[in-house]
Amino acid sequence: MQKHKSKLNLCKPACLLALALLVSGCSQNSLLTRQDYRNSRQDFLRGDAGEALLDFPRSAESGTFITTMEQGYLSLIQGKPQIKGLQQQAETLEKRVRYHVSREARNFFYVQTPEDYYASEHEVIWLHFMLSWGYSLQGKYAEACVEARIAGSLLSLPWSPAGHFDDPAMRLFLAGLWAMCGEWHEAQVDLRAAWSLDNSLAWAKKLAERNEPPPHLFLVLGGPGPEPVWNPGLTVNPLRSERQVSFRLQGRKSPLSIADQRGVAIKTHLSPDAGKWYERHLARESELHEMILDSAYGGKMAISGALAGTGIAVTSGIGLAVGIGGTALGAAVIHFGNSADAVNLGLIIAAASIEQGIKISRQGYRESTGRLKQELDPAPGYRFVRYLPEYLWMGWSDQDIAYPVELRTPFAKTRIQRPGIVNRTSVSVAHLPDAKPPCSYQMDNSSITVVPLPDAAGNCTSDRPL
């Protein structure tokens, strides 16, 4: 009986390890990766939000914060206020706001979702942006103003100037949301705030000085959203490189022209980009690293590290054995040969064995660490809301507008068939990926049409100016 208990106790660590491996594997499989988004992202880069939504990965993370945000954005830029999921997220997260103060007196707020994703500050604000936008599309202007006010309060939390999150591009879009729900005096406040944050936005200050809103306002969201890139130092131990991730913006910030059906031109202005959103995201993640390192990555890092360590130890052992064995053989040849030739041969055998042993050890180390780096690269599975703009263009007109209105950059053009919101001001919202697409494209829905850009042979023309 005692023997059986002993065997059972010996089995426990192995069983626990097997269970950990199983749970880790399941956890990894339940999280979406860059590859899962491949078809949807290609559609989006072509400017086809409808197809991007149809090809959206549904194999995992359904109903979570990230996928709900992404699907909500893809719907809204088509003029379709499918915001039920966003409403549910807002209700779920309403009482889950937490605050964190760093050692450098930089203040961050974060929201922990039920699935243990720690939403970034700009993502939480965009949740309320999209709800306000969706309510205005539904004609629920009072509700739209409530959501705009929540977003504005998150941008104006009374923290130290060195710490609280604020951003000129977000202030500009918030001003557009206030115009959608009919509160121009609130839009003026945010236009001034954008200029205060970035004094190059003199046009925003000038627009804020208007006592009445312009009859027609255009908000064009640009860029397909950034991609995460892993930047581990080549000399850094990969086990300690953690998540050295940066974000690469893909939008070109092209000049945008807008003209109505009669050829009346509408001047546009470009906002600052979202680079600071993601700098803030990375700084906040660094502060909360132990808390937000999800179990899937943590388990993967531990298992891969153990396997790599074992591989290095095994190959080093083989290399050492070859070196020692060859040296012993060389010594035996010298001893029993008892001649000058035997001494030379023995020394050659020993030297060759040591060299081969070192080569085996180095090769094993390179292969093990290389495999480890590939395994630990967090960029393909990095968790963040992928479908958000990188910047926006804003334009307005005091003249009557004849629709459709054409929006044109050097590499793409879009048509807005009619304004999305007609309140005190008609507000039109559109999206242009403004990045190198995989091919020419066409999108058609009730309010926005993106026309194809074929060359003479009908081939893809992503780099051919219009």
Side-chain angles (χ1 to χ4, degrees), residues 5-6 33 69 159 174 229 263 293 300 309 312 318 326 350 459:
K5 284 185 178 179
S6 178
T33 67
M69 288 281 289
W159 291 340
L174 182 56
V229 180
L293 185 65
K300 187 175 184 180
I312 292 169
I318 293 172
N459 297 318

Side-chain angles (χ1 to χ4, degrees), residues 15-200:
C15 293
L16 290 173
L17 177 58
L19 180 61
L21 289 170
L22 178 62
V23 170
S24 177
C26 293
S27 179
Q28 291 175 50
N29 292 335
S30 67
L31 300 177
L32 294 172
T33 67
R34 179 187 292 161
Q35 184 62 25
D36 296 317
Y37 283 91
R38 183 174 179 273
N39 291 337
S40 181
R41 292 290 287 173
Q42 285 186 343
D43 296 330
F44 194 61
L45 283 167
R46 286 194 292 266
D48 194 336
E51 282 298 315
L53 190 55
L54 288 174
D55 285 333
F56 191 87
R58 289 175 173 81
S59 58
E61 298 195 62
S62 178
T64 62
F65 179 85
I66 292 176
T67 57
T68 300
M69 288 281 289
E70 292 169 337
Q71 291 171 316
Y73 183 73
L74 291 173
S75 298
L76 284 167
I77 60 176
Q78 297 178 73
K80 300 175 182 178
Q82 297 174 357
I83 59 173
K84 185 177 180 180
L86 296 173
Q87 292 169 325
Q88 292 172 344
Q89 288 293 329
E91 291 170 5
T92 302
L93 302 182
E94 183 177 1
K95 297 180 180 180
R96 298 178 69 94
V97 175
R98 300 290 184 271
Y99 299 94
H100 173 78
V101 181
S102 78
R103 290 184 299 274
E104 292 79 17
R106 290 185 303 180
N107 298 267
F108 303 92
F109 71 83
Y110 66 90
V111 177
Q112 181 184 10
T113 68
E115 67 273 16
D116 284 335
Y117 173 68
Y118 290 81
S120 292
E121 292 160 312
H122 71 273
E123 293 171 347
V124 177
I125 294 167
W126 265 97
L127 169 63
H128 296 288
F129 277 1
M130 290 195 284
L131 280 171
S132 179
W133 180 4
Y135 281 131
S136 286
L137 286 171
Q138 293 176 347
K140 300 177 181 178
Y141 299 121
E143 290 91 334
C145 282
V146 168
E147 294 297 332
R149 197 170 303 281
I150 293 171
S153 69
L154 291 172
L155 287 168
S156 306
L157 286 169
W159 291 340
S160 67
H164 90 276
F165 180 75
D166 207 343
D167 181 78
M170 297 185 89
R171 288 285 185 174
L172 292 172
F173 191 71
L174 182 56
L177 294 174
W178 285 119
M180 290 183 197
C181 67
E183 294 289 344
W184 179 246
H185 64 284
E186 296 285 0
Q188 291 174 291
V189 171
D190 284 301
L191 288 167
R192 292 191 194 100
W195 171 77
S196 178
L197 291 165
D198 186 339
N199 291 152
S200 70

Side-chain angles (χ1 to χ4, degrees), residues 176-314:
L177 294 174
W178 285 119
M180 290 183 197
C181 67
E183 294 289 344
W184 179 246
H185 64 284
E186 296 285 0
Q188 291 174 291
V189 171
D190 284 301
L191 288 167
R192 292 191 194 100
W195 171 77
S196 178
L197 291 165
D198 186 339
N199 291 152
S200 70
L201 303 175
W203 59 268
K205 182 174 182 288
K206 185 176 180 180
L207 181 59
E209 292 169 353
R210 298 178 57 134
N211 292 326
E212 295 294 328
H216 306 280
L217 182 66
F218 294 88
L219 298 170
V220 184
L221 303 172
E227 281 293 336
V229 180
W230 194 38
N231 299 309
L234 294 176
T235 60
V236 174
N237 181 346
L239 285 173
R240 296 184 179 180
S241 62
E242 298 176 345
R243 290 188 168 194
Q244 297 185 29
V245 171
S246 62
F247 285 90
R248 182 179 65 241
L249 299 180
Q250 301 181 88
R252 299 183 177 189
K253 303 181 190 176
S254 304
L256 173 71
S257 62
I258 302 178
D260 76 351
Q261 192 176 31
R262 299 190 303 264
V264 175
I266 299 158
K267 187 177 181 180
T268 61
H269 306 272
L270 181 66
S271 79
D273 65 37
K276 292 189 180 299
W277 307 358
Y278 297 96
E279 289 176 11
R280 178 84 175 180
H281 165 92
L282 294 171
R284 185 203 65 141
E285 176 168 291
S286 177
E287 292 293 334
L288 304 174
H289 181 75
E290 293 301 322
M291 191 179 298
I292 65 179
L293 185 65
D294 60 80
S295 59
Y297 181 83
K300 187 175 184 180
M301 182 171 65
I303 294 164
S304 299
L307 291 174
T310 301
I312 292 169
V314 168

